Amino acid sequence: MKNFDAADNIQDLQYFGEFGGVNPSISDSSTYTFLSAKTMFDTFEGNTDGCYLYSRHSSPSNLYLAEALAAMEGSEAANVTASGMGAITSTLLQLCKSNDHIVSSRTIYGGTYAFMKNFLPGFAIKTTFVDITKIESVEAAILPETKVIYCETVSNPLLEVADIEALAKLAKKHQITLIVDNTFSPLSVAPIQLGADIVIHSLTKYINGSSDTVGGVICASTDFINALKSVNDGACMLLGPTMDSLRASSILKNLRTLHIRIKQHSHNALYLAKKLELDGIKTVYPGLASHPSHKRYSTMINTDYGFGGMLTIDVGTLDKANALMELMQNNNLGYLAVSLGFYKTLFSAPGTSTSSEIPLEEQKEMGLTDGLIRISIGLDNDIERTYQSIKACMKELKIL
């Protein structure tokens, strides 16, 4: 990680538009012409570079974005999708067939959990959910038919940290593919540099950063990306999770400012986390010494980009959580909304929103309490002013 800087890799990419524009031209076509029938045949067979067949397969705009994201993660290749879930589902269905098995972190995005728990069993694919922070529990769950270990670098919503290097060694020992969802920690952590095989992002979040589109990406080896796009048996080709070219070009432009935004998100989140913890609010943030994985995470990150923009607080009850979020929204501190990575602060009670797919008894077992509020800290210029406003809201509701 010391010699790997994702932002430098992004900066070094330089594209020219068709007429010399500083932004690459947008490929506003669904299908593409060929000068010869043989070239069309060769493109169908995947044997022709620089030729485009059909935008569900690939397009110039999507390939520009994919190349930039592969550079960001340090992977050989990448493929963009219409949503983060499109990336996750395509990857898992490419790797797993009937009677295969997945070992997954128990604290993951609710949509991913629901796909593994409720959807994949219809294809005779089973998942065992474990505490990903306990390597011995992960290894104990591995079966002869296990094909994948799945985790999030920083888990949604409990902000548990996966030891990617240890998981990678375990995966290689058992010849299993390690997939890491790095949505919460772009630039800060580069999982492929730590041994992961495949890295997934929801581009909807930090990478795009303006809450105006959804998108996803799969970063992996060239062989795996080509397999995903195969016209014969590729999940991304046959399931059709295709990103629109206009959206790809928009996300590529936003990617250029990611390093500036991540630094500010991290700065603000660390400031608030320290202040709220000192006030006696139960606060979880990987940048706090009180976080169980603080030391480990400190060795994983590129310190230039900090510990990320996500934190949680626990105010005791769902009623208090809802009242606080409503009051903060009324005081222009942000929005009571799901998602993350926006330039304004976003807050939600994950037990009744982004993690509601997880049964209540399992939420309790993993420590997802009623009073938990997940907060995506925005790009506020005066974070002390923001803190004082949050504190005033808490005092008004007698949380402080």
Coordinates of all heavy atoms in Angstrom, one line a residue, residues 227-260:
A227 N -14.6 -13.1 -19.1 CA -15.6 -14.2 -18.8 C -17.0 -13.6 -18.5 O -18.0 -14.0 -19.0 CB -15.2 -15.1 -17.7
L228 N -17.0 -12.5 -17.8 CA -18.3 -11.8 -17.5 C -19.0 -11.2 -18.7 O -20.2 -11.2 -18.8 CB -18.0 -10.6 -16.5 CG -17.8 -10.9 -15.0 CD1 -17.4 -9.7 -14.3 CD2 -19.1 -11.5 -14.4
K229 N -18.1 -10.9 -19.7 CA -18.7 -10.2 -20.9 C -18.8 -11.2 -22.1 O -19.2 -10.8 -23.2 CB -17.8 -9.1 -21.3 CG -17.8 -7.9 -20.3 CD -17.2 -6.6 -20.8 CE -15.7 -6.7 -21.1 NZ -15.2 -5.4 -21.6
S230 N -18.6 -12.5 -21.8 CA -18.7 -13.5 -22.9 C -20.1 -13.5 -23.4 O -21.1 -13.6 -22.7 CB -18.3 -14.9 -22.4 OG -18.7 -15.9 -23.3
V231 N -20.3 -13.5 -24.8 CA -21.6 -13.6 -25.4 C -22.3 -15.0 -25.2 O -23.5 -15.1 -25.3 CB -21.6 -13.3 -26.9 CG1 -21.1 -11.9 -27.1 CG2 -20.7 -14.3 -27.6
N232 N -21.5 -16.0 -24.8 CA -22.0 -17.3 -24.6 C -22.5 -17.6 -23.2 O -23.5 -18.2 -23.0 CB -21.0 -18.3 -25.0 CG -20.6 -18.2 -26.5 OD1 -21.5 -18.2 -27.3 ND2 -19.3 -18.2 -26.8
D233 N -21.7 -17.2 -22.2 CA -22.0 -17.6 -20.8 C -21.6 -16.5 -19.8 O -21.4 -16.8 -18.6 CB -21.4 -18.9 -20.4 CG -19.9 -19.0 -20.6 OD1 -19.3 -17.9 -20.9 OD2 -19.3 -20.1 -20.4
G234 N -21.5 -15.3 -20.2 CA -21.1 -14.2 -19.3 C -22.2 -13.6 -18.6 O -23.2 -13.1 -19.2
A235 N -22.2 -13.5 -17.3 CA -23.3 -12.9 -16.5 C -23.6 -11.5 -16.9 O -24.8 -11.1 -16.9 CB -23.0 -13.1 -15.0
C236 N -22.6 -10.7 -17.1 CA -22.8 -9.3 -17.4 C -23.4 -9.1 -18.8 O -24.2 -8.2 -19.0 CB -21.5 -8.5 -17.3 SG -21.1 -8.1 -15.6
M237 N -23.1 -10.0 -19.7 CA -23.6 -9.9 -21.0 C -25.1 -10.5 -21.1 O -26.0 -9.8 -21.6 CB -22.8 -10.7 -22.0 CG -23.2 -10.7 -23.5 SD -23.2 -9.0 -24.2 CE -23.7 -9.3 -25.9
L238 N -25.3 -11.6 -20.4 CA -26.6 -12.3 -20.5 C -27.6 -11.7 -19.6 O -28.8 -11.8 -19.9 CB -26.4 -13.8 -20.3 CG -25.4 -14.4 -21.4 CD1 -25.3 -15.9 -21.1 CD2 -26.0 -14.2 -22.8
L239 N -27.2 -11.2 -18.4 CA -28.2 -10.7 -17.5 C -28.5 -9.2 -17.8 O -29.5 -8.7 -17.3 CB -27.7 -10.8 -16.0 CG -27.5 -12.3 -15.5 CD1 -26.9 -12.3 -14.1 CD2 -28.8 -13.0 -15.6
G240 N -27.6 -8.6 -18.5 CA -27.9 -7.2 -19.0 C -27.8 -6.1 -18.0 O -28.6 -5.1 -18.1
P241 N -26.9 -6.1 -17.0 CA -26.8 -4.9 -16.1 C -26.0 -3.8 -16.7 O -24.9 -3.4 -16.1 CB -26.2 -5.5 -14.8 CG -25.3 -6.6 -15.4 CD -26.0 -7.1 -16.6
T242 N -26.4 -3.3 -17.8 CA -25.6 -2.4 -18.6 C -25.7 -0.9 -18.1 O -26.8 -0.4 -18.0 CB -25.9 -2.5 -20.1 OG1 -25.9 -3.8 -20.4 CG2 -24.9 -1.7 -20.9
M243 N -24.6 -0.3 -17.9 CA -24.6 1.2 -17.6 C -24.8 2.0 -18.9 O -24.2 1.7 -19.9 CB -23.3 1.6 -16.9 CG -23.2 3.1 -16.6 SD -21.7 3.5 -15.7 CE -22.2 3.0 -14.1
D244 N -25.6 3.0 -18.8 CA -25.8 3.9 -19.9 C -24.5 4.8 -20.1 O -23.9 5.2 -19.2 CB -27.0 4.8 -19.6 CG -27.2 5.8 -20.7 OD1 -27.8 5.4 -21.7 OD2 -26.9 7.0 -20.5
S245 N -24.2 5.0 -21.4 CA -23.0 5.8 -21.7 C -23.0 7.2 -21.1 O -21.9 7.7 -20.7 CB -22.8 5.8 -23.3 OG -22.6 4.6 -23.8
L246 N -24.1 7.8 -21.1 CA -24.2 9.2 -20.6 C -23.8 9.2 -19.1 O -23.1 10.1 -18.6 CB -25.6 9.8 -20.8 CG -25.9 10.2 -22.2 CD1 -27.4 10.4 -22.3 CD2 -25.1 11.3 -22.7
R247 N -24.3 8.2 -18.4 CA -24.0 8.0 -16.9 C -22.5 7.7 -16.7 O -21.9 8.2 -15.8 CB -24.9 7.0 -16.3 CG -26.3 7.4 -16.1 CD -26.4 8.7 -15.3 NE -27.8 9.0 -15.0 CZ -28.1 10.2 -14.4 NH1 -27.2 11.1 -14.2 NH2 -29.4 10.4 -14.1
A248 N -22.0 6.9 -17.6 CA -20.5 6.5 -17.5 C -19.7 7.8 -17.6 O -18.7 8.0 -16.9 CB -20.2 5.5 -18.5
S249 N -20.0 8.6 -18.6 CA -19.2 9.8 -18.8 C -19.3 10.8 -17.6 O -18.3 11.4 -17.3 CB -19.6 10.5 -20.1 OG -20.9 11.0 -20.1
S250 N -20.5 10.8 -17.0 CA -20.7 11.7 -15.9 C -19.9 11.2 -14.7 O -19.3 12.0 -14.0 CB -22.2 11.8 -15.6 OG -22.4 12.5 -14.4
I251 N -20.0 9.9 -14.4 CA -19.2 9.4 -13.3 C -17.7 9.5 -13.5 O -17.0 9.8 -12.5 CB -19.6 7.9 -13.1 CG1 -21.1 7.8 -12.7 CG2 -18.7 7.3 -12.0 CD1 -21.6 6.4 -12.7
L252 N -17.2 9.4 -14.7 CA -15.8 9.6 -15.0 C -15.4 11.0 -14.6 O -14.3 11.2 -14.1 CB -15.5 9.2 -16.5 CG -14.1 9.4 -16.9 CD1 -13.2 8.5 -16.1 CD2 -13.9 9.1 -18.4
K253 N -16.2 12.0 -15.0 CA -15.8 13.3 -14.6 C -15.8 13.5 -13.1 O -14.9 14.2 -12.5 CB -16.8 14.3 -15.2 CG -16.6 14.5 -16.8 CD -17.4 15.6 -17.3 CE -18.8 15.3 -17.6 NZ -19.1 14.5 -18.8
N254 N -16.8 13.0 -12.4 CA -16.8 13.1 -10.9 C -15.6 12.3 -10.3 O -15.2 12.8 -9.2 CB -18.1 12.6 -10.4 CG -19.3 13.5 -10.7 OD1 -19.0 14.7 -11.1 ND2 -20.5 13.1 -10.5
L255 N -15.2 11.3 -10.9 CA -14.1 10.5 -10.3 C -12.8 11.4 -10.2 O -12.0 11.1 -9.2 CB -13.8 9.3 -11.2 CG -12.7 8.4 -10.8 CD1 -13.0 7.6 -9.5 CD2 -12.4 7.3 -12.0
R256 N -12.7 12.3 -11.0 CA -11.5 13.2 -11.0 C -11.3 14.0 -9.7 O -10.2 14.4 -9.4 CB -11.5 14.1 -12.2 CG -11.5 13.4 -13.6 CD -10.2 12.6 -13.8 NE -10.2 12.2 -15.2 CZ -9.1 11.6 -15.7 NH1 -8.1 11.3 -15.0 NH2 -9.1 11.2 -17.0
T257 N -12.4 14.2 -9.0 CA -12.4 15.0 -7.8 C -12.5 14.1 -6.5 O -12.6 14.6 -5.4 CB -13.5 16.1 -7.7 OG1 -14.8 15.4 -7.7 CG2 -13.4 17.0 -8.9
L258 N -12.5 12.8 -6.7 CA -12.7 11.9 -5.6 C -11.7 12.1 -4.5 O -12.1 12.1 -3.3 CB -12.7 10.4 -6.1 CG -12.9 9.4 -5.0 CD1 -14.3 9.5 -4.4 CD2 -12.7 8.0 -5.6
H259 N -10.4 12.3 -4.8 CA -9.4 12.4 -3.8 C -9.6 13.6 -2.9 O -9.4 13.6 -1.7 CB -8.0 12.5 -4.4 CG -7.8 13.6 -5.4 ND1 -8.4 13.8 -6.6 CD2 -7.0 14.7 -5.2 CE1 -8.0 14.9 -7.2 NE2 -7.1 15.4 -6.4
I260 N -10.1 14.7 -3.5 CA -10.4 15.9 -2.7 C -11.6 15.7 -1.8 O -11.5 16.0 -0.6 CB -10.7 17.1 -3.6 CG1 -9.5 17.4 -4.5 CG2 -11.0 18.4 -2.8 CD1 -9.8 18.4 -5.6

